[in-house]
């Protein structure tokens, strides 16, 4: 025989169950060994693309390096270890690397900062790390009881980002003169394709360079029409 028990919010590592016959308390039995009652953490976001790997991952959540994205989780349990803090980690290859990279640790198992959590849950605003991959997953760990943990259900995508800083509004570039295209970069990617459009909507795009260095470019190394030296976090290309 069996019965369904709604386990109470009473965390312990020394629980036992006792059965007593109604009307004859001498007929009794207890569970032979101690068992634990634990809380539960469930990752809500990011939870990835359920079609992975068919769809190569990431279409459900597509996050950019250095943008602020909110990690969210729900929790069940308010006693024992569940009153402790949590750690967030991430994997770049669908968990095969055992989540070696830390997002944050000693976080409150609730609201951290000004983020908005799911009902009764917790959250943390993550400045997305430089992990350009379509197989990223996040893991949450309860620090006082690391066995209470959860991960993203499926991988999601983290992509690089760029902001063109030159040319800018109002610039007039004359034909046959050397001009330096400049950009800010977010994320470690080695090369970029550079195109231009006379219409401005890139339906008429023309390729400037198929694979320019995502940083400094020189005549000898990258086929530019002149040398440029990029500062940290930027890229440049001299265009005729």
């Amino acid at each position: 025989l069996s019965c369904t028990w709604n386990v109470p919010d009473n965390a312990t590592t020394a629980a036992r169950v006792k059965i007593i016959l109604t009307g004859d308390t001498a007929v009794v039995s207890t569970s032979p060994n101690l068992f634990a009652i634990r809380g539960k953490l469930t990752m809500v976001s990011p939870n990835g693309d359920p079609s992975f790997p068919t769809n190569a991952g990431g279409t459900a959540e597509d996050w950019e390096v250095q943008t602020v994205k909110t990690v969210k989780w729900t929790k069940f349990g308010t006693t024992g270890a569940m009153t402790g803090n949590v750690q967030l980690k991430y994997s770049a290859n669908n968990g095969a690397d055992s989540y070696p990279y830390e997002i944050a640790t000693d976080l409150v198992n609730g609201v951290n900062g000004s983020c908005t959590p799911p009902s009764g849950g917790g959250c943390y605003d993550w400045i997305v790390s430089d992990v350009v991959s379509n197989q990223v997953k996040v893991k949450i760990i309860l620090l006082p009881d690391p066995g209470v943990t959860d991960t993203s259900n499926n991988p999601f995508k983290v992509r690089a980002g760029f902001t063109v800083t030159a040319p800018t509004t109002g610039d007039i570039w004359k034909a046959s003169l050397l001009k330096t295209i400049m950009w800010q970069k977010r994320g470690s990617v080695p090369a970029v394709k550079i195109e231009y459009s006379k219409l401005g909507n890139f339906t008429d795009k023309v390729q400037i360079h198929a694979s320019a260095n995502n940083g400094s470019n020189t005549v000898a190394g990258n086929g530019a029409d002149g040398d440029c030296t990029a500062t940290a976090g930027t890229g440049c290309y001299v265009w005729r």
Side-chain angles (χ1 to χ4, degrees), residues 18 55 60 67 75-76 90 108 110 123 125 129 141 147 155 162 199-200 218:
K18 177 186 284 188
N55 198 34
T67 59
K75 59 181 180 177
F76 176 81
Y90 70 89
V108 174
C123 61
D125 283 336
S129 305
I141 304 164
F162 306 104
L199 298 177
T218 65

Side-chain angles (χ1 to χ4, degrees), residues 71-92:
V71 179
K72 299 180 180 181
W73 62 93
T74 57
K75 59 181 180 177
F76 176 81
T78 60
T79 63
M82 291 299 289
T83 63
N85 289 352
V86 298
Q87 180 184 38
L88 295 174
K89 305 180 80 173
Y90 70 89
S91 163

Side-chain angles (χ1 to χ4, degrees), residues 3-4 18 20 34 42 54 68 75 80 82 89 102 106 110 128 132 137 142 144 179 206 209 231 238:
C3 69
T4 300
K18 177 186 284 188
I20 306 167
L34 300 177
T42 302
T54 305
V68 178
K75 59 181 180 177
M82 291 299 289
K89 305 180 80 173
E102 185 176 275
D106 283 329
V128 179
V132 178
K137 293 176 78 174
L142 185 64
K179 291 293 184 180
V206 177
H209 199 291
T231 58
V238 181

Side-chain angles (χ1 to χ4, degrees), residues 16-134:
R16 272 198 170 110
V17 169
K18 177 186 284 188
I19 298 176
I20 306 167
L21 181 63
T22 302
D24 187 352
T25 57
V27 180
V28 62
S29 179
T30 62
S31 48
N33 300 299
L34 300 177
F35 68 94
I37 295 176
R38 283 174 161 170
K40 182 180 180 180
L41 297 172
T42 302
M43 184 67 64
V44 173
S45 174
N47 249 333
D49 183 358
S51 67
F52 181 88
T54 305
N55 198 34
T59 58
E61 281 148 328
D62 191 339
W63 291 3
E64 187 176 302
V65 173
Q66 293 183 15
T67 59
V68 178
K69 297 294 183 179
T70 303
V71 179
K72 299 180 180 181
W73 62 93
T74 57
K75 59 181 180 177
F76 176 81
T78 60
T79 63
M82 291 299 289
T83 63
N85 289 352
V86 298
Q87 180 184 38
L88 295 174
K89 305 180 80 173
Y90 70 89
S91 163
N93 63 355
N94 196 20
D97 54 7
S98 300
Y99 298 86
Y101 310 109
E102 185 176 275
I103 296 172
T105 193
D106 283 329
L107 296 174
V108 174
N109 191 12
V111 179
N112 292 270
S114 58
C115 57
T116 302
S119 179
C123 61
Y124 174 76
D125 283 336
W126 178 29
I127 301 175
V128 179
S129 305
D130 185 359
V131 51
V132 178
S133 170
N134 65 3

